[in-house]
Amino acid sequence: MPGTATLPSRCTDCSGRASAICAQLHPDALHDFAGLGRVRQLRPGTTLSWEGERVTSVGTVRTGLLKLSASLADGRELILGVAGPGDIVGNPLGAPATHSVTALGEASLCLVPRDAFTAFMAREGKAAQALLERLFGELDNARRWLLLIGRKNAAERVASLLLDLADRAGGTEGTAIALPLSRQQMAGLLGLTIETVSRRLHRFADDGVIALPDLRHFVLHDRMALAALAGEPAD
């Protein structure tokens, strides 16, 4: 990974640069890639792209979290997942988007025009390899969410989501971690009712695993216990 001294100025405050595809680039290629795009700031609730439209840019999330959602035939919103720092949003192949991308809070992205992005991938082997690894990683994550919804019980689903949010935020025990999803959104993502989500959160708090200082944050007190509740090994 390039040293901080060689980074383009826009990359120095990017929370996702260590895990983004551009982390694999040598300094000259990194500067070339940074020169292709622009940084866009998103306010909470701003939709970057809509389901069904042909996206003209490919974005790397720099800061914040974005929800990926689709609309059901009856008008209900189905949340498919969450994208965080280092994740890619937008289809490099230009196919119509299968979901909308909306900022859950303050967020920023590095946006590169789709044609420029694909041309750069074609000539930079390390970038193309990193993109392929990222896409396979997203496929693995999608399979994990299928397991989450299909096989895990309610407590395991809620605990798994909290672990994911804590890991994305780099949260350690005793620190407040942003909970950008409302209880309704969490329920939609996990295939549960709002009441079930709320009960499980308060049960975790009563057991001392987490604390709930307000509706938009949780404090992680015992990561091993939360991992056990999620049915996952604790790192």
Side-chain angles (χ1 to χ4, degrees):
M1 177 179 165
T4 301
T6 65
L7 289 173
S9 59
R10 72 170 56 173
C11 300
T12 57
D13 63 344
C14 175
S15 299
R17 66 183 176 89
S19 58
I21 60 171
C22 48
Q24 305 299 320
L25 302 177
H26 58 79
D28 289 342
L30 180 59
H31 279 270
D32 289 344
F33 187 64
L36 295 175
R38 61 186 177 88
V39 173
R40 180 174 174 185
Q41 306 288 336
L42 298 180
R43 298 179 67 83
T46 301
T47 297
L48 176 70
S49 57
W50 294 96
E51 178 183 3
E53 75 175 8
R54 291 188 180 275
V55 180
T56 59
S57 297
V58 179
T60 299
V61 182
R62 303 174 75 254
T63 60
L65 293 174
L66 300 95
K67 69 174 178 179
L68 314 178
S69 62
S71 297
L72 300 177
D74 60 6
R76 287 179 298 156
E77 178 187 57
L78 176 64
I79 300 179
L80 305 174
V82 176
D87 289 339
I88 294 174
V89 294
N91 189 333
L93 301 179
T98 57
H99 53 263
S100 298
V101 179
T102 305
L104 286 168
E106 296 287 345
S108 66
L109 301 94
C110 184
L111 294 177
V112 177
R114 182 173 54 81
D115 291 344
F117 182 89
T118 54
F120 185 85
M121 292 297 118
R123 68 176 183 266
E124 285 290 337
K126 284 190 175 181
Q129 180 180 349
L131 176 62
L132 185 61
E133 291 173 354
R134 168 68 64 173
L135 294 176
F136 273 109
E138 291 182 359
L139 180 59
D140 286 341
N141 287 337
R143 288 169 174 162
R144 285 183 63 229
W145 279 108
L146 285 175
L147 172 64
L148 178 75
I149 299 299
R151 299 297 297 273
K152 290 191 174 185
N153 61 36
E156 289 171 334
R157 295 182 197 184
V158 176
S160 294
L161 177 58
L162 295 181
L163 272 180
D164 183 62
L165 292 172
D167 289 343
R168 287 177 183 272
T172 57
E173 291 184 357
T175 61
I177 299 166
L179 190 57
L181 297 165
S182 68
R183 301 297 189 263
Q184 182 176 4
Q185 290 171 330
M186 291 175 66
L189 176 61
L190 299 174
L192 301 171
T193 65
I194 299 174
E195 293 76 15
T196 297
V197 169
S198 294
R199 281 198 303 270
R200 292 302 172 182
L201 288 172
H202 286 287
R203 174 64 64 84
F204 296 164
D206 290 342
D207 291 342
V209 178
I210 63 171
L212 297 169
D214 55 57
L215 290 176
R216 287 299 187 177
H217 296 85
F218 71 97
V219 177
L220 179 61
H221 284 319
D222 190 336
R223 193 186 192 286
M224 289 185 63
L226 188 61
L229 287 166
E232 298 181 9
D235 296 330

